[in-house]
Amino acid sequence: MTDPVATSPIAAPTNAANLSVAAAGFAAQLRAAAPGQTVSLGAMVNAHVGGLTPLVSAAATASVGLGAMSALGSVSGVSPVTRVKTGDAARIDTVVNFALAQQGKPYVFGTKGPDTFDCSGLMTAAYQQVGVDIPAYTFTQATKGREVDPATEPIKAGDLIFVRGGRPATDLGHVGMAISATEWIQAPRTGDVVKTGPLPYDRIQVVRRLVGE
């Protein structure tokens, strides 16, 4: 792809009401610079950095936020730039989104869906969505994939988080899944439901990563 030819920057809009007008002019310049081409976000910034800066500043000051981006599409026909995840990132999204979709379903010991789950059964069902088969048993799951040391590398979405739990409580007796570096999703216990919450960093015994480096 050829980058569009740089054109003169757009003057900063004086207020939020002028933001759409400025966006329309910006899009018109892009079409003139690269007719019939798909313009990357990087090329847009390189060609119009002088015009984008006041445009973004005005949007922030006026609390327009993402509305400024939608103006490019609704006013002038330019489609928003969307980055599609691929590879391991897409697989992790599938796993995490499946687990999140189970929120509110009851905990029942020894089950792995579709209507009820125990802690390890939820992990098994989630990873089955991307072809990773792990038994619904915490002690075995704690040996799968690669061990992650939270003291030296960050926990990532999709990591399995093992803590002491179960009845009677034993080491590695409970497992949940990280959905970020600060939160996890789990099926806690009888009488409770699948839900999210803060990662219990003070109780973590083992972290295992099944997909990705």
Side-chain angles (χ1 to χ4, degrees), residues 107-112 117-125 134-145 159-177 184-189 205-210:
Y107 175 103
V108 174
F109 179 76
T111 61
K112 51 183 178 181
F117 296 89
D118 69 4
C119 64
S120 57
L122 178 61
M123 306 301 108
T124 296
I134 52 175
Y137 193 57
T138 59
F139 306 111
T140 305
Q141 289 181 355
T143 67
K144 300 299 182 181
D159 289 348
L160 300 189
I161 312 298
F162 296 87
V163 299
R164 185 176 174 82
R167 293 184 179 179
T170 56
D171 288 341
L172 309 179
H174 181 64
V175 62
M177 180 190 298
W184 71 341
I185 186 166
Q186 57 165 331
R189 63 186 66 83
Q205 294 184 313
V206 171
V207 178
R208 306 294 296 195
R209 183 165 299 159
L210 304 184

Side-chain angles (χ1 to χ4, degrees), residues 46-71:
N46 290 335
H48 289 80
V49 65
L52 276 175
T53 302
L55 194 66
V56 173
S57 298
T61 302
S63 298
V64 176
L66 290 176
M69 293 301 294
S70 65

Side-chain angles (χ1 to χ4, degrees):
M1 185 192 82
T2 302
D3 284 347
V5 179
T7 60
S8 57
I10 301 168
T14 56
N15 53 50
N18 292 332
L19 189 57
S20 293
V21 175
F26 175 47
Q29 288 189 18
L30 287 175
R31 286 197 299 273
Q37 296 188 28
T38 300
V39 182
S40 70
L41 184 58
M44 290 165 63
V45 174
N46 290 335
H48 289 80
V49 65
L52 276 175
T53 302
L55 194 66
V56 173
S57 298
T61 302
S63 298
V64 176
L66 290 176
M69 293 301 294
S70 65
L72 287 173
S74 61
V75 175
S76 53
V78 175
S79 299
V81 177
T82 302
R83 176 174 293 176
V84 178
K85 292 183 179 180
T86 59
D88 287 342
R91 297 174 75 201
I92 290 299
D93 268 7
T94 298
V95 169
V96 170
N97 288 337
F98 175 87
L100 290 172
Q102 312 315 310
Q103 289 183 86
K105 293 185 177 180
Y107 175 103
V108 174
F109 179 76
T111 61
K112 51 183 178 181
D115 300 319
T116 62
F117 296 89
D118 69 4
C119 64
S120 57
L122 178 61
M123 306 301 108
T124 296
Y127 270 96
Q128 281 179 341
Q129 307 309 305
V130 294
V132 176
D133 292 320
I134 52 175
Y137 193 57
T138 59
F139 306 111
T140 305
Q141 289 181 355
T143 67
K144 300 299 182 181
R146 178 177 73 84
E147 184 170 2
V148 173
D149 181 0
T152 59
E153 60 179 310
I155 289 174
K156 296 181 179 181
D159 289 348
L160 300 189
I161 312 298
F162 296 87
V163 299
R164 185 176 174 82
R167 293 184 179 179
T170 56
D171 288 341
L172 309 179
H174 181 64
V175 62
M177 180 190 298
I179 57 175
S180 71
T182 58
E183 291 186 292
W184 71 341
I185 186 166
Q186 57 165 331
R189 63 186 66 83
T190 300
D192 212 333
V193 298
V194 175
K195 60 185 179 183
T196 62
L199 269 174
Y201 271 97
D202 59 334
R203 298 193 293 122
I204 292 176
Q205 294 184 313
V206 171
V207 178
R208 306 294 296 195
R209 183 165 299 159
L210 304 184
V211 173
E213 297 297 324

